[in-house]
Amino acid sequence: MASFSETGHAKNSANFNVLIQFATGYGATYNPSNNNLKIPQLNTLYTLSQSRLSDVISKNTSFNNAVNDRVIEFAIIKELATRLINAFEATDATKEKIKDAKVFNRKIQGKRVTPFSSTPPDPNTPAPNTISSSQQSYDQQIQHFGGLVSVLQSEPSYIPNENDLKLITIIAKQASLITKNNAVATAYVSVNNSRVARNKTYYIENTGLVDIALEVKKYIKSAFGASSPEYAQVKGILFKTIKT
């Protein structure tokens, strides 16, 4: 479900369109001297506001997809690490190497990463304002798994027959973990940059959608009068500045 703030941006845009329709309906009597309040400029701003909203939705969906892909990719890490330790103990590795491997496995088992869910995230769920804690947890899992792989690589007798335990497979798995994790970071930056662009379009002082809308209402009040039916049509159209 979309957050209140995401809904609020859309409501501002929808209300702006209603305001434009009323102003357009006044014909030639709607004739502000401020170029930003003229009908063509209002329509351009409305079109841009819609584009900004759509871009945030698209980027937000990409972020949620990346998060879901990462959850799936990391889902088997703990089980895989345990199997790798068991396979490693069956080699000619020294007690010291086995101990080193177990240290990394304990770290992998002890780190709390977002559990896998079979239900994909709602594409309308807003990306969080920060992912630092979650990102660090995944970063650490990658680091610990890489440490375990490194220990296994150092042991000549580690040559398992199981394909998913072979060095070539777990090295590829390590690379995939990094790729999926980086994809989340990239998507997070993208959606937040998109939000910044949207917020500038809507809320920047003087030229943002909300300030322009308020100026249009003021102009209609001054041109037609505070008690005019024209102003009565638009005075109740609400616009709110939303900071998220």
Side-chain angles (χ1 to χ4, degrees):
M1 179 179 294
S3 70
F4 171 79
S5 62
E6 297 295 334
T7 304
H9 301 306
K11 187 64 175 176
N12 278 333
S13 185
N15 285 350
F16 191 65
N17 185 44
V18 172
L19 182 63
I20 292 173
Q21 300 312 310
F22 277 124
T24 301
Y26 303 147
T29 55
Y30 180 85
N31 188 28
S33 57
N34 184 341
N35 194 57
N36 288 333
L37 307 187
K38 295 183 182 297
I39 299 300
Q41 284 72 20
L42 296 180
N43 282 323
T44 297
L45 181 55
Y46 172 69
T47 299
L48 179 61
S49 75
Q50 288 289 292
S51 176
R52 297 298 193 204
L53 279 179
S54 296
D55 190 61
V56 171
I57 292 171
S58 176
K59 298 291 175 56
N60 198 77
T61 299
S62 295
F63 171 78
N64 283 331
N65 288 340
V67 168
N68 197 54
D69 288 344
R70 181 176 67 176
V71 169
I72 294 171
E73 191 66 32
F74 276 76
I76 67 165
I77 288 303
K78 291 185 178 183
E79 179 185 351
L80 177 59
T82 298
R83 291 181 62 210
L84 291 171
I85 291 298
N86 291 335
F88 196 53
E89 287 186 301
T91 69
D92 296 331
T94 64
K95 291 182 179 180
E96 288 74 17
K97 278 190 179 181
I98 293 174
K99 180 179 178 181
D100 291 342
K102 286 184 175 180
V103 168
F104 286 116
N105 183 44
R106 282 196 298 271
K107 290 179 178 180
I108 292 170
Q109 303 302 328
K111 293 298 174 182
R112 299 189 338 191
V113 178
T114 305
F116 169 70
S117 171
S118 59
T119 303
D122 185 338
N124 294 316
T125 301
N129 291 327
T130 175
I131 58 169
S132 58
S133 177
S134 173
Q135 190 70 28
Q136 288 174 4
S137 181
Y138 281 103
D139 289 340
Q140 289 168 358
Q141 287 284 64
I142 290 171
Q143 180 181 355
H144 301 325
F145 188 76
L148 176 57
V149 172
S150 180
V151 174
L152 301 183
Q153 285 179 296
S154 72
E155 176 52 52
S157 67
Y158 181 77
I159 44 175
N161 292 320
E162 295 75 19
N163 286 331
D164 58 339
L165 301 183
K166 291 180 178 180
L167 285 175
I168 190 172
T169 305
I170 61 175
I171 291 171
K173 180 67 174 179
Q174 180 186 4
S176 185
L177 294 175
I178 294 171
T179 297
K180 298 297 186 182
N181 192 46
N182 288 344
V184 172
T186 299
Y188 173 76
V189 170
S190 182
V191 70
N192 274 272
N193 285 342
S194 183
R195 283 174 174 169
V196 169
R198 177 203 60 198
N199 290 348
K200 287 181 178 179
T201 298
Y202 278 75
Y203 308 115
I204 195 169
E205 189 175 1
N206 298 323
T207 59
L209 180 147
V210 168
D211 276 10
I212 291 295
L214 296 178
E215 289 301 313
V216 169
K217 292 172 68 174
K218 288 178 183 177
Y219 168 74
I220 292 172
K221 183 178 182 180
S222 68
F224 297 95
S227 59
S228 67
E230 289 84 0
Y231 183 59
Q233 288 178 321
V234 303
K235 68 179 181 180
I237 303 175
L238 298 179
F239 298 91
K240 296 182 178 181
T241 297
I242 302 167
K243 298 182 178 180
T244 58

